[in-house]
Amino acid sequence: MSKPHITLHHGDIPADLELGNLVAIDTESLGLRWARDRLCLVQLSSGDGTAHLVKFEAGKYDAPNLKKMLIDPGVTKLFHFARADLATLKYHLGVMTAPVYCTKIASIIARTFSDRHSLKDLARDVLGLDLAKEQQTSDWGTPELTDAQKSYAASDVLYLHKIKSKLDEMLVRDGRAELAQAVLDFLPTRAELDLCGWNDVDVFAHKPFNSSSK
Ligand code: MN
């Protein structure tokens, strides 16, 4: 892997940053609970090998340029496990991101021969890349990010375009593209359900409140 180009921004993306109509996005927070653990970093890439990192200070989420992009109907936002990122972004920035693509959902629908759908699994199995995950649990609230943190954060968005291309080929090949698209279209609603209190409820289940015996 050649060394990626990484640009660090503070509080928002620049107004003139042009990332195209398919933007890979990931977020890093202090933990996994959006109401407790503040959003620290948003990573973006147009798929050209460059990652843009936006660092947020506590409580300072007035990011008009980023928000405009997140809700732009002409820009598809590309995530791995979008559900969690959409909830975090809505909670902290106040906007529901749409339209979206999620490589995890696309993989679950396309790669029915596998039960391994993490980003690391996809990078390895679909692209033949070994993504390091050592910084996954690091302190993203630190005033200065280390180079290791920056390159880890960047690696979560740099390969999503290539993974999407491969998954899309498989979805078309096996006649599953429309089904996948319908699921992806529902993702913002799924994230909204999470934020509204149905986070551990499968609203489609026969017995949604007794998941152990359904
Ligand atoms: Mn990440």
PDB file of all heavy atoms in Angstrom, residues 21-57:
ATOM      1  N   ASN A  21     -19.553  12.900  -6.266  1.00  0.00           N
ATOM      2  CA  ASN A  21     -20.921  12.476  -5.926  1.00  0.00           C
ATOM      3  C   ASN A  21     -20.993  11.137  -5.191  1.00  0.00           C
ATOM      4  O   ASN A  21     -22.069  10.597  -4.976  1.00  0.00           O
ATOM      5  CB  ASN A  21     -21.799  12.440  -7.185  1.00  0.00           C
ATOM      6  CG  ASN A  21     -21.239  11.503  -8.244  1.00  0.00           C
ATOM      7  OD1 ASN A  21     -20.326  10.723  -7.976  1.00  0.00           O
ATOM      8  ND2 ASN A  21     -21.782  11.584  -9.449  1.00  0.00           N
ATOM      9  N   LEU A  22     -19.815  10.621  -4.789  1.00  0.00           N
ATOM     10  CA  LEU A  22     -19.763   9.413  -3.957  1.00  0.00           C
ATOM     11  C   LEU A  22     -18.642   9.617  -2.937  1.00  0.00           C
ATOM     12  O   LEU A  22     -17.461   9.586  -3.284  1.00  0.00           O
ATOM     13  CB  LEU A  22     -19.497   8.168  -4.809  1.00  0.00           C
ATOM     14  CG  LEU A  22     -19.405   6.855  -4.043  1.00  0.00           C
ATOM     15  CD1 LEU A  22     -20.734   6.502  -3.371  1.00  0.00           C
ATOM     16  CD2 LEU A  22     -18.958   5.712  -4.964  1.00  0.00           C
ATOM     17  N   VAL A  23     -19.018   9.881  -1.682  1.00  0.00           N
ATOM     18  CA  VAL A  23     -18.031  10.248  -0.666  1.00  0.00           C
ATOM     19  C   VAL A  23     -18.000   9.203   0.445  1.00  0.00           C
ATOM     20  O   VAL A  23     -19.020   8.954   1.109  1.00  0.00           O
ATOM     21  CB  VAL A  23     -18.358  11.636  -0.057  1.00  0.00           C
ATOM     22  CG1 VAL A  23     -17.284  12.029   0.969  1.00  0.00           C
ATOM     23  CG2 VAL A  23     -18.460  12.689  -1.142  1.00  0.00           C
ATOM     24  N   ALA A  24     -16.847   8.584   0.621  1.00  0.00           N
ATOM     25  CA  ALA A  24     -16.670   7.627   1.723  1.00  0.00           C
ATOM     26  C   ALA A  24     -16.557   8.393   3.040  1.00  0.00           C
ATOM     27  O   ALA A  24     -15.857   9.407   3.117  1.00  0.00           O
ATOM     28  CB  ALA A  24     -15.418   6.790   1.498  1.00  0.00           C
ATOM     29  N   ILE A  25     -17.278   7.933   4.056  1.00  0.00           N
ATOM     30  CA  ILE A  25     -17.291   8.619   5.352  1.00  0.00           C
ATOM     31  C   ILE A  25     -17.196   7.598   6.485  1.00  0.00           C
ATOM     32  O   ILE A  25     -17.767   6.509   6.409  1.00  0.00           O
ATOM     33  CB  ILE A  25     -18.578   9.456   5.552  1.00  0.00           C
ATOM     34  CG1 ILE A  25     -18.770  10.442   4.389  1.00  0.00           C
ATOM     35  CG2 ILE A  25     -18.531  10.220   6.875  1.00  0.00           C
ATOM     36  CD1 ILE A  25     -19.960  11.361   4.559  1.00  0.00           C
ATOM     37  N   ASP A  26     -16.470   7.973   7.540  1.00  0.00           N
ATOM     38  CA  ASP A  26     -16.458   7.197   8.775  1.00  0.00           C
ATOM     39  C   ASP A  26     -16.386   8.196   9.918  1.00  0.00           C
ATOM     40  O   ASP A  26     -16.061   9.374   9.716  1.00  0.00           O
ATOM     41  CB  ASP A  26     -15.253   6.245   8.803  1.00  0.00           C
ATOM     42  CG  ASP A  26     -15.279   5.315  10.017  1.00  0.00           C
ATOM     43  OD1 ASP A  26     -16.380   4.880  10.418  1.00  0.00           O
ATOM     44  OD2 ASP A  26     -14.205   5.021  10.575  1.00  0.00           O
ATOM     45  N   THR A  27     -16.740   7.740  11.119  1.00  0.00           N
ATOM     46  CA  THR A  27     -16.661   8.618  12.292  1.00  0.00           C
ATOM     47  C   THR A  27     -15.920   7.896  13.406  1.00  0.00           C
ATOM     48  O   THR A  27     -15.946   6.673  13.491  1.00  0.00           O
ATOM     49  CB  THR A  27     -18.067   9.005  12.808  1.00  0.00           C
ATOM     50  OG1 THR A  27     -18.734   7.847  13.313  1.00  0.00           O
ATOM     51  CG2 THR A  27     -18.910   9.639  11.721  1.00  0.00           C
ATOM     52  N   GLU A  28     -15.258   8.676  14.254  1.00  0.00           N
ATOM     53  CA  GLU A  28     -14.657   8.133  15.475  1.00  0.00           C
ATOM     54  C   GLU A  28     -15.181   8.947  16.648  1.00  0.00           C
ATOM     55  O   GLU A  28     -15.228  10.171  16.604  1.00  0.00           O
ATOM     56  CB  GLU A  28     -13.120   8.218  15.433  1.00  0.00           C
ATOM     57  CG  GLU A  28     -12.467   7.568  14.223  1.00  0.00           C
ATOM     58  CD  GLU A  28     -12.675   6.059  14.119  1.00  0.00           C
ATOM     59  OE1 GLU A  28     -13.033   5.428  15.138  1.00  0.00           O
ATOM     60  OE2 GLU A  28     -12.513   5.519  13.008  1.00  0.00           O
ATOM     61  N   SER A  29     -15.604   8.232  17.698  1.00  0.00           N
ATOM     62  CA  SER A  29     -16.160   8.883  18.882  1.00  0.00           C
ATOM     63  C   SER A  29     -15.418   8.385  20.118  1.00  0.00           C
ATOM     64  O   SER A  29     -14.551   7.518  20.028  1.00  0.00           O
ATOM     65  CB  SER A  29     -17.650   8.542  19.021  1.00  0.00           C
ATOM     66  OG  SER A  29     -18.345   8.927  17.845  1.00  0.00           O
ATOM     67  N   LEU A  30     -15.798   8.911  21.278  1.00  0.00           N
ATOM     68  CA  LEU A  30     -15.148   8.475  22.516  1.00  0.00           C
ATOM     69  C   LEU A  30     -15.550   7.052  22.898  1.00  0.00           C
ATOM     70  O   LEU A  30     -14.941   6.439  23.761  1.00  0.00           O
ATOM     71  CB  LEU A  30     -15.490   9.431  23.668  1.00  0.00           C
ATOM     72  CG  LEU A  30     -14.742  10.765  23.682  1.00  0.00           C
ATOM     73  CD1 LEU A  30     -15.183  11.601  24.881  1.00  0.00           C
ATOM     74  CD2 LEU A  30     -13.227  10.559  23.714  1.00  0.00           C
ATOM     75  N   GLY A  31     -16.600   6.541  22.284  1.00  0.00           N
ATOM     76  CA  GLY A  31     -17.056   5.181  22.575  1.00  0.00           C
ATOM     77  C   GLY A  31     -18.179   4.834  21.630  1.00  0.00           C
ATOM     78  O   GLY A  31     -18.363   5.476  20.598  1.00  0.00           O
ATOM     79  N   LEU A  32     -18.952   3.843  21.958  1.00  0.00           N
ATOM     80  CA  LEU A  32     -19.955   3.326  21.028  1.00  0.00           C
ATOM     81  C   LEU A  32     -21.366   3.833  21.318  1.00  0.00           C
ATOM     82  O   LEU A  32     -22.305   3.481  20.622  1.00  0.00           O
ATOM     83  CB  LEU A  32     -19.941   1.794  21.056  1.00  0.00           C
ATOM     84  CG  LEU A  32     -18.618   1.152  20.592  1.00  0.00           C
ATOM     85  CD1 LEU A  32     -18.666  -0.360  20.768  1.00  0.00           C
ATOM     86  CD2 LEU A  32     -18.305   1.520  19.147  1.00  0.00           C
ATOM     87  N   ARG A  33     -21.545   4.663  22.375  1.00  0.00           N
ATOM     88  CA  ARG A  33     -22.891   5.170  22.691  1.00  0.00           C
ATOM     89  C   ARG A  33     -22.969   6.641  22.321  1.00  0.00           C
ATOM     90  O   ARG A  33     -22.315   7.479  22.941  1.00  0.00           O
ATOM     91  CB  ARG A  33     -23.176   4.976  24.185  1.00  0.00           C
ATOM     92  CG  ARG A  33     -23.127   3.508  24.563  1.00  0.00           C
ATOM     93  CD  ARG A  33     -23.565   3.294  25.984  1.00  0.00           C
ATOM     94  NE  ARG A  33     -23.337   1.908  26.360  1.00  0.00           N
ATOM     95  CZ  ARG A  33     -23.903   1.318  27.406  1.00  0.00           C
ATOM     96  NH1 ARG A  33     -24.717   2.011  28.184  1.00  0.00           N
ATOM     97  NH2 ARG A  33     -23.649   0.062  27.689  1.00  0.00           N
ATOM     98  N   TRP A  34     -23.817   6.925  21.332  1.00  0.00           N
ATOM     99  CA  TRP A  34     -23.827   8.278  20.776  1.00  0.00           C
ATOM    100  C   TRP A  34     -24.254   9.324  21.788  1.00  0.00           C
ATOM    101  O   TRP A  34     -23.807  10.456  21.735  1.00  0.00           O
ATOM    102  CB  TRP A  34     -24.679   8.361  19.513  1.00  0.00           C
ATOM    103  CG  TRP A  34     -25.792   7.363  19.410  1.00  0.00           C
ATOM    104  CD1 TRP A  34     -25.770   6.192  18.715  1.00  0.00           C
ATOM    105  CD2 TRP A  34     -27.075   7.431  20.037  1.00  0.00           C
ATOM    106  NE1 TRP A  34     -26.950   5.536  18.864  1.00  0.00           N
ATOM    107  CE2 TRP A  34     -27.777   6.261  19.660  1.00  0.00           C
ATOM    108  CE3 TRP A  34     -27.699   8.360  20.860  1.00  0.00           C
ATOM    109  CZ2 TRP A  34     -29.075   6.003  20.102  1.00  0.00           C
ATOM    110  CZ3 TRP A  34     -28.988   8.103  21.292  1.00  0.00           C
ATOM    111  CH2 TRP A  34     -29.656   6.938  20.917  1.00  0.00           C
ATOM    112  N   ALA A  35     -25.129   8.979  22.749  1.00  0.00           N
ATOM    113  CA  ALA A  35     -25.590   9.995  23.708  1.00  0.00           C
ATOM    114  C   ALA A  35     -24.543  10.272  24.790  1.00  0.00           C
ATOM    115  O   ALA A  35     -24.525  11.344  25.382  1.00  0.00           O
ATOM    116  CB  ALA A  35     -26.895   9.549  24.350  1.00  0.00           C
ATOM    117  N   ARG A  36     -23.670   9.327  25.038  1.00  0.00           N
ATOM    118  CA  ARG A  36     -22.657   9.485  26.079  1.00  0.00           C
ATOM    119  C   ARG A  36     -21.317   9.907  25.500  1.00  0.00           C
ATOM    120  O   ARG A  36     -20.591  10.717  26.090  1.00  0.00           O
ATOM    121  CB  ARG A  36     -22.491   8.143  26.814  1.00  0.00           C
ATOM    122  CG  ARG A  36     -21.489   8.179  27.955  1.00  0.00           C
ATOM    123  CD  ARG A  36     -21.161   6.770  28.443  1.00  0.00           C
ATOM    124  NE  ARG A  36     -20.485   5.957  27.430  1.00  0.00           N
ATOM    125  CZ  ARG A  36     -20.239   4.658  27.553  1.00  0.00           C
ATOM    126  NH1 ARG A  36     -20.638   4.013  28.637  1.00  0.00           N
ATOM    127  NH2 ARG A  36     -19.612   3.996  26.592  1.00  0.00           N
ATOM    128  N   ASP A  37     -20.997   9.362  24.331  1.00  0.00           N
ATOM    129  CA  ASP A  37     -19.641   9.464  23.794  1.00  0.00           C
ATOM    130  C   ASP A  37     -19.596  10.416  22.613  1.00  0.00           C
ATOM    131  O   ASP A  37     -20.090  10.108  21.537  1.00  0.00           O
ATOM    132  CB  ASP A  37     -19.163   8.075  23.369  1.00  0.00           C
ATOM    133  CG  ASP A  37     -19.190   7.094  24.532  1.00  0.00           C
ATOM    134  OD1 ASP A  37     -18.858   7.519  25.649  1.00  0.00           O
ATOM    135  OD2 ASP A  37     -19.548   5.930  24.315  1.00  0.00           O
ATOM    136  N   ARG A  38     -18.965  11.560  22.832  1.00  0.00           N
ATOM    137  CA  ARG A  38     -19.036  12.589  21.796  1.00  0.00           C
ATOM    138  C   ARG A  38     -18.275  12.203  20.524  1.00  0.00           C
ATOM    139  O   ARG A  38     -17.315  11.445  20.545  1.00  0.00           O
ATOM    140  CB  ARG A  38     -18.509  13.918  22.330  1.00  0.00           C
ATOM    141  CG  ARG A  38     -17.015  13.998  22.496  1.00  0.00           C
ATOM    142  CD  ARG A  38     -16.620  15.396  22.978  1.00  0.00           C
ATOM    143  NE  ARG A  38     -15.185  15.486  23.178  1.00  0.00           N
ATOM    144  CZ  ARG A  38     -14.330  15.778  22.206  1.00  0.00           C
ATOM    145  NH1 ARG A  38     -14.753  16.007  20.992  1.00  0.00           N
ATOM    146  NH2 ARG A  38     -13.035  15.847  22.449  1.00  0.00           N
ATOM    147  N   LEU A  39     -18.754  12.792  19.441  1.00  0.00           N
ATOM    148  CA  LEU A  39     -18.119  12.632  18.131  1.00  0.00           C
ATOM    149  C   LEU A  39     -16.806  13.406  18.126  1.00  0.00           C
ATOM    150  O   LEU A  39     -16.779  14.597  18.461  1.00  0.00           O
ATOM    151  CB  LEU A  39     -19.069  13.185  17.060  1.00  0.00           C
ATOM    152  CG  LEU A  39     -18.564  13.281  15.630  1.00  0.00           C
ATOM    153  CD1 LEU A  39     -18.315  11.905  15.042  1.00  0.00           C
ATOM    154  CD2 LEU A  39     -19.579  14.050  14.777  1.00  0.00           C
ATOM    155  N   CYS A  40     -15.716  12.744  17.777  1.00  0.00           N
ATOM    156  CA  CYS A  40     -14.397  13.385  17.788  1.00  0.00           C
ATOM    157  C   CYS A  40     -13.858  13.659  16.385  1.00  0.00           C
ATOM    158  O   CYS A  40     -13.144  14.630  16.172  1.00  0.00           O
ATOM    159  CB  CYS A  40     -13.391  12.509  18.514  1.00  0.00           C
ATOM    160  SG  CYS A  40     -13.778  12.187  20.244  1.00  0.00           S
ATOM    161  N   LEU A  41     -14.173  12.756  15.450  1.00  0.00           N
ATOM    162  CA  LEU A  41     -13.529  12.841  14.140  1.00  0.00           C
ATOM    163  C   LEU A  41     -14.480  12.355  13.058  1.00  0.00           C
ATOM    164  O   LEU A  41     -15.210  11.378  13.269  1.00  0.00           O
ATOM    165  CB  LEU A  41     -12.284  11.940  14.163  1.00  0.00           C
ATOM    166  CG  LEU A  41     -11.232  12.122  13.077  1.00  0.00           C
ATOM    167  CD1 LEU A  41     -10.520  13.463  13.246  1.00  0.00           C
ATOM    168  CD2 LEU A  41     -10.205  10.982  13.139  1.00  0.00           C
ATOM    169  N   VAL A  42     -14.493  13.056  11.917  1.00  0.00           N
ATOM    170  CA  VAL A  42     -15.196  12.563  10.735  1.00  0.00           C
ATOM    171  C   VAL A  42     -14.158  12.461   9.616  1.00  0.00           C
ATOM    172  O   VAL A  42     -13.446  13.416   9.339  1.00  0.00           O
ATOM    173  CB  VAL A  42     -16.351  13.501  10.309  1.00  0.00           C
ATOM    174  CG1 VAL A  42     -16.966  13.040   8.994  1.00  0.00           C
ATOM    175  CG2 VAL A  42     -17.420  13.563  11.395  1.00  0.00           C
ATOM    176  N   GLN A  43     -14.061  11.276   9.016  1.00  0.00           N
ATOM    177  CA  GLN A  43     -13.111  11.052   7.932  1.00  0.00           C
ATOM    178  C   GLN A  43     -13.878  10.984   6.618  1.00  0.00           C
ATOM    179  O   GLN A  43     -14.957  10.398   6.554  1.00  0.00           O
ATOM    180  CB  GLN A  43     -12.360   9.738   8.122  1.00  0.00           C
ATOM    181  CG  GLN A  43     -11.724   9.559   9.483  1.00  0.00           C
ATOM    182  CD  GLN A  43     -12.543   8.679  10.414  1.00  0.00           C
ATOM    183  OE1 GLN A  43     -13.551   9.129  10.947  1.00  0.00           O
ATOM    184  NE2 GLN A  43     -12.131   7.449  10.628  1.00  0.00           N
ATOM    185  N   LEU A  44     -13.295  11.584   5.576  1.00  0.00           N
ATOM    186  CA  LEU A  44     -13.937  11.595   4.259  1.00  0.00           C
ATOM    187  C   LEU A  44     -12.919  11.303   3.164  1.00  0.00           C
ATOM    188  O   LEU A  44     -11.750  11.656   3.291  1.00  0.00           O
ATOM    189  CB  LEU A  44     -14.578  12.966   3.973  1.00  0.00           C
ATOM    190  CG  LEU A  44     -15.527  13.539   5.019  1.00  0.00           C
ATOM    191  CD1 LEU A  44     -14.824  14.616   5.829  1.00  0.00           C
ATOM    192  CD2 LEU A  44     -16.761  14.117   4.378  1.00  0.00           C
ATOM    193  N   SER A  45     -13.397  10.663   2.090  1.00  0.00           N
ATOM    194  CA  SER A  45     -12.535  10.467   0.925  1.00  0.00           C
ATOM    195  C   SER A  45     -13.383  10.398  -0.339  1.00  0.00           C
ATOM    196  O   SER A  45     -14.475   9.835  -0.330  1.00  0.00           O
ATOM    197  CB  SER A  45     -11.712   9.190   1.053  1.00  0.00           C
ATOM    198  OG  SER A  45     -10.895   9.019  -0.100  1.00  0.00           O
ATOM    199  N   SER A  46     -12.851  10.963  -1.413  1.00  0.00           N
ATOM    200  CA  SER A  46     -13.531  10.884  -2.713  1.00  0.00           C
ATOM    201  C   SER A  46     -13.164   9.594  -3.428  1.00  0.00           C
ATOM    202  O   SER A  46     -13.673   9.328  -4.515  1.00  0.00           O
ATOM    203  CB  SER A  46     -13.141  12.079  -3.587  1.00  0.00           C
ATOM    204  OG  SER A  46     -11.773  11.985  -3.952  1.00  0.00           O
ATOM    205  N   GLY A  47     -12.257   8.811  -2.836  1.00  0.00           N
ATOM    206  CA  GLY A  47     -11.821   7.574  -3.466  1.00  0.00           C
ATOM    207  C   GLY A  47     -10.559   7.748  -4.292  1.00  0.00           C
ATOM    208  O   GLY A  47     -10.139   6.836  -5.000  1.00  0.00           O
ATOM    209  N   ASP A  48      -9.933   8.919  -4.187  1.00  0.00           N
ATOM    210  CA  ASP A  48      -8.734   9.216  -4.993  1.00  0.00           C
ATOM    211  C   ASP A  48      -7.429   8.956  -4.241  1.00  0.00           C
ATOM    212  O   ASP A  48      -6.363   9.362  -4.678  1.00  0.00           O
ATOM    213  CB  ASP A  48      -8.771  10.675  -5.473  1.00  0.00           C
ATOM    214  CG  ASP A  48      -8.629  11.667  -4.320  1.00  0.00           C
ATOM    215  OD1 ASP A  48      -8.680  11.233  -3.141  1.00  0.00           O
ATOM    216  OD2 ASP A  48      -8.464  12.873  -4.580  1.00  0.00           O
ATOM    217  N   GLY A  49      -7.531   8.278  -3.054  1.00  0.00           N
ATOM    218  CA  GLY A  49      -6.324   7.998  -2.283  1.00  0.00           C
ATOM    219  C   GLY A  49      -6.009   9.063  -1.248  1.00  0.00           C
ATOM    220  O   GLY A  49      -5.037   8.947  -0.506  1.00  0.00           O
ATOM    221  N   THR A  50      -6.830  10.125  -1.201  1.00  0.00           N
ATOM    222  CA  THR A  50      -6.650  11.180  -0.202  1.00  0.00           C
ATOM    223  C   THR A  50      -7.754  11.069   0.845  1.00  0.00           C
ATOM    224  O   THR A  50      -8.915  10.835   0.503  1.00  0.00           O
ATOM    225  CB  THR A  50      -6.738  12.577  -0.849  1.00  0.00           C
ATOM    226  OG1 THR A  50      -5.680  12.718  -1.781  1.00  0.00           O
ATOM    227  CG2 THR A  50      -6.634  13.684   0.187  1.00  0.00           C
ATOM    228  N   ALA A  51      -7.375  11.228   2.119  1.00  0.00           N
ATOM    229  CA  ALA A  51      -8.367  11.254   3.190  1.00  0.00           C
ATOM    230  C   ALA A  51      -8.382  12.637   3.835  1.00  0.00           C
ATOM    231  O   ALA A  51      -7.327  13.240   4.064  1.00  0.00           O
ATOM    232  CB  ALA A  51      -8.042  10.195   4.238  1.00  0.00           C
ATOM    233  N   HIS A  52      -9.576  13.142   4.096  1.00  0.00           N
ATOM    234  CA  HIS A  52      -9.746  14.392   4.816  1.00  0.00           C
ATOM    235  C   HIS A  52     -10.277  14.065   6.207  1.00  0.00           C
ATOM    236  O   HIS A  52     -11.315  13.406   6.333  1.00  0.00           O
ATOM    237  CB  HIS A  52     -10.720  15.319   4.083  1.00  0.00           C
ATOM    238  CG  HIS A  52     -10.181  15.780   2.768  1.00  0.00           C
ATOM    239  ND1 HIS A  52      -9.478  16.959   2.620  1.00  0.00           N
ATOM    240  CD2 HIS A  52     -10.205  15.189   1.537  1.00  0.00           C
ATOM    241  CE1 HIS A  52      -9.103  17.094   1.359  1.00  0.00           C
ATOM    242  NE2 HIS A  52      -9.532  16.035   0.681  1.00  0.00           N
ATOM    243  N   LEU A  53      -9.578  14.503   7.238  1.00  0.00           N
ATOM    244  CA  LEU A  53     -10.009  14.252   8.612  1.00  0.00           C
ATOM    245  C   LEU A  53     -10.522  15.560   9.204  1.00  0.00           C
ATOM    246  O   LEU A  53      -9.835  16.582   9.145  1.00  0.00           O
ATOM    247  CB  LEU A  53      -8.844  13.737   9.468  1.00  0.00           C
ATOM    248  CG  LEU A  53      -7.999  12.587   8.910  1.00  0.00           C
ATOM    249  CD1 LEU A  53      -6.975  12.138   9.959  1.00  0.00           C
ATOM    250  CD2 LEU A  53      -8.854  11.408   8.480  1.00  0.00           C
ATOM    251  N   VAL A  54     -11.743  15.537   9.749  1.00  0.00           N
ATOM    252  CA  VAL A  54     -12.295  16.726  10.409  1.00  0.00           C
ATOM    253  C   VAL A  54     -12.351  16.451  11.903  1.00  0.00           C
ATOM    254  O   VAL A  54     -13.082  15.576  12.361  1.00  0.00           O
ATOM    255  CB  VAL A  54     -13.710  17.059   9.893  1.00  0.00           C
ATOM    256  CG1 VAL A  54     -14.211  18.344  10.547  1.00  0.00           C
ATOM    257  CG2 VAL A  54     -13.725  17.184   8.376  1.00  0.00           C
ATOM    258  N   LYS A  55     -11.553  17.220  12.648  1.00  0.00           N
ATOM    259  CA  LYS A  55     -11.490  17.025  14.096  1.00  0.00           C
ATOM    260  C   LYS A  55     -12.448  17.982  14.788  1.00  0.00           C
ATOM    261  O   LYS A  55     -12.502  19.164  14.462  1.00  0.00           O
ATOM    262  CB  LYS A  55     -10.058  17.289  14.565  1.00  0.00           C
ATOM    263  CG  LYS A  55      -9.753  16.753  15.950  1.00  0.00           C
ATOM    264  CD  LYS A  55      -8.272  16.880  16.254  1.00  0.00           C
ATOM    265  CE  LYS A  55      -7.937  16.199  17.576  1.00  0.00           C
ATOM    266  NZ  LYS A  55      -8.829  16.537  18.686  1.00  0.00           N
ATOM    267  N   PHE A  56     -13.228  17.457  15.737  1.00  0.00           N
ATOM    268  CA  PHE A  56     -14.211  18.271  16.454  1.00  0.00           C
ATOM    269  C   PHE A  56     -13.837  18.435  17.919  1.00  0.00           C
ATOM    270  O   PHE A  56     -13.451  17.470  18.576  1.00  0.00           O
ATOM    271  CB  PHE A  56     -15.600  17.620  16.368  1.00  0.00           C
ATOM    272  CG  PHE A  56     -16.213  17.702  14.994  1.00  0.00           C
ATOM    273  CD1 PHE A  56     -16.154  16.625  14.130  1.00  0.00           C
ATOM    274  CD2 PHE A  56     -16.832  18.868  14.572  1.00  0.00           C
ATOM    275  CE1 PHE A  56     -16.707  16.704  12.860  1.00  0.00           C
ATOM    276  CE2 PHE A  56     -17.385  18.954  13.299  1.00  0.00           C
ATOM    277  CZ  PHE A  56     -17.327  17.876  12.448  1.00  0.00           C
ATOM    278  N   GLU A  57     -13.977  19.670  18.412  1.00  0.00           N
ATOM    279  CA  GLU A  57     -13.831  19.905  19.854  1.00  0.00           C
ATOM    280  C   GLU A  57     -15.200  19.686  20.499  1.00  0.00           C
ATOM    281  O   GLU A  57     -16.235  19.801  19.838  1.00  0.00           O
ATOM    282  CB  GLU A  57     -13.346  21.338  20.111  1.00  0.00           C
ATOM    283  CG  GLU A  57     -12.067  21.714  19.377  1.00  0.00           C
ATOM    284  CD  GLU A  57     -10.925  20.727  19.589  1.00  0.00           C
ATOM    285  OE1 GLU A  57     -10.789  20.212  20.716  1.00  0.00           O
ATOM    286  OE2 GLU A  57     -10.200  20.438  18.622  1.00  0.00           O
TER     287      GLU A  57
END
